Amino acid sequence: QPRLSLSHDVSKIHSVGRETQPRLSLSRRDVSTLVTLGAAAIAVPRPSFGLDVRSGDSGSDAARSFDAYDAYAPSYDALDGGQAATRLGFDELRRSAIARARGDVLEVGVGTGLNLPLYDWSGVRSLVALDASQGMLSEARKRVLDLGVASKVHLRQGDAASLQFADGTFDAVLDTYSLCVFADPETALREMRRVLKPKGIIICVEHQRASGLLGAYQDATAPLVTPMSKGCVWNQDVRAIARKVGCREVSAESSVFGTIVTLILSKN
């Protein structure tokens, strides 16, 4: 099999401004699905390194979580996508966000590589694709080879809370539906900021707490949604976390009734 490698040549990333996210037209059935199951259960959060599915902080808990992801890696795409996710616009949100990634890119929680076909590979010089699960990375490797981008991609098992990269390594860091399952999302986002180049961007598509009654509903149902969605805390304040770790908000677009946010963050 072709060797997956990381190019160390670096290209500059263009500045990114605000971009309006696609408007969604949803039926009553879509709304019912969203409210009944929760956005986190519809679009199952991506596997992520450093993951203990919020079940505790012991090494044995984390090991069991990794083993679980390894076990269902071959069938994970059916959980992470599907008609409901497409109907609610999750696929298009991914596509729109990933189009912003340029230069040397780090994707956290790459999982089975569901995002890989969405990259503009002409603008990506290198991609480090990280995940906690070796089983997930094995599935991602198949996509890399099918896409013919093995020369640009390095698959790596690692921990989001302790990224093994020097400060200022990447032009862009991508997270799609992973931050919500990190045991310590604040530490993970701080690490993403650390490895970002001075003019780089963090691209996040994440679950967030909506305003009003829907937000109250998320708060009330979070204890049920979290185990049902493999650890996703779907009512966290992602924008507040970003501010706390020192990121500057370049743009923020809410969608799916305010339960999803697309964030573009800069280092300073």
Side-chain angles (χ1 to χ4, degrees):
Q1 289 184 334
R3 179 174 176 269
L4 306 184
S5 61
L6 169 64
S7 167
H8 295 284
D9 191 13
V10 176
S11 64
K12 300 293 183 181
I13 190 165
H14 299 293
S15 60
V16 176
R18 182 179 297 272
E19 179 179 321
T20 302
Q21 293 295 327
R23 296 179 65 85
L24 301 176
S25 178
L26 303 176
S27 67
R28 283 188 175 183
R29 184 179 65 176
D30 296 328
V31 176
S32 177
T33 300
L34 178 70
V35 175
T36 303
L37 299 178
I42 296 171
V44 178
R46 304 189 60 76
S48 52
F49 35 81
L51 173 66
D52 64 4
V53 266
R54 310 270 178 152
S55 61
D57 55 10
S58 71
S60 59
D61 284 339
R64 283 193 294 270
S65 298
F66 301 157
D67 289 345
Y69 275 119
D70 286 346
Y72 56 66
S75 60
Y76 194 83
D77 287 356
L79 300 175
D80 205 22
Q83 293 183 356
T86 299
R87 196 165 57 240
L88 288 167
F90 286 11
D91 294 348
E92 186 56 37
L93 290 172
R94 288 179 190 271
R95 188 181 306 278
S96 177
I98 294 166
R100 305 168 187 254
R102 295 287 187 273
D104 288 326
V105 181
L106 168 67
E107 181 177 345
V108 300
V110 68
T112 61
L114 201 63
N115 288 334
L116 293 174
L118 305 180
Y119 282 95
D120 176 2
W121 290 104
S122 66
V124 175
R125 187 171 301 276
S126 66
L127 171 67
V128 177
L130 274 77
D131 202 273
S133 165
Q134 190 58 53
M136 292 291 184
L137 291 173
S138 295
E139 295 299 313
R141 181 174 291 107
K142 298 174 185 177
R143 274 201 167 94
V144 170
L145 298 176
D146 288 345
L147 290 168
V149 292
S151 64
K152 292 190 174 186
V153 178
H154 176 66
L155 298 171
R156 182 161 175 171
Q157 192 171 18
D159 182 355
S162 182
L163 295 174
Q164 300 302 300
F165 305 104
D167 295 1
T169 299
F170 298 100
D171 295 295
V173 179
L174 175 70
D175 152 55
T176 60
Y177 311 113
S178 289
L179 199 65
C180 62
V181 298
F182 292 147
D184 187 351
E186 183 178 322
T187 297
L189 191 55
R190 183 176 286 110
E191 278 288 272
M192 294 180 211
R193 179 180 179 273
R194 179 184 65 78
V195 301
L196 198 64
K197 292 180 182 180
K199 294 185 178 181
I201 56 170
I202 298 172
I203 306 162
C204 289
V205 184
E206 274 299 335
H207 299 281
Q208 70 169 357
R209 186 188 187 279
S211 60
L213 291 176
L214 182 53
Y217 172 81
Q218 288 176 280
D219 293 341
T221 58
L224 298 176
V225 170
T226 296
M228 183 171 61
S229 58
K230 298 180 177 62
C232 176
V233 178
W234 75 320
N235 63 333
Q236 64 184 0
D237 190 340
V238 184
R239 298 175 71 180
I241 294 172
R243 290 191 296 269
K244 186 173 183 180
V245 303
C247 291
R248 183 176 71 86
E249 190 174 286
V250 177
S251 66
E253 297 290 342
S254 295
S255 52
V256 194
F257 310 106
T259 63
I260 301 293
V261 64
T262 299
L263 280 177
I264 305 298
L265 306 169
S266 66
K267 194 164 188 172
N268 299 301

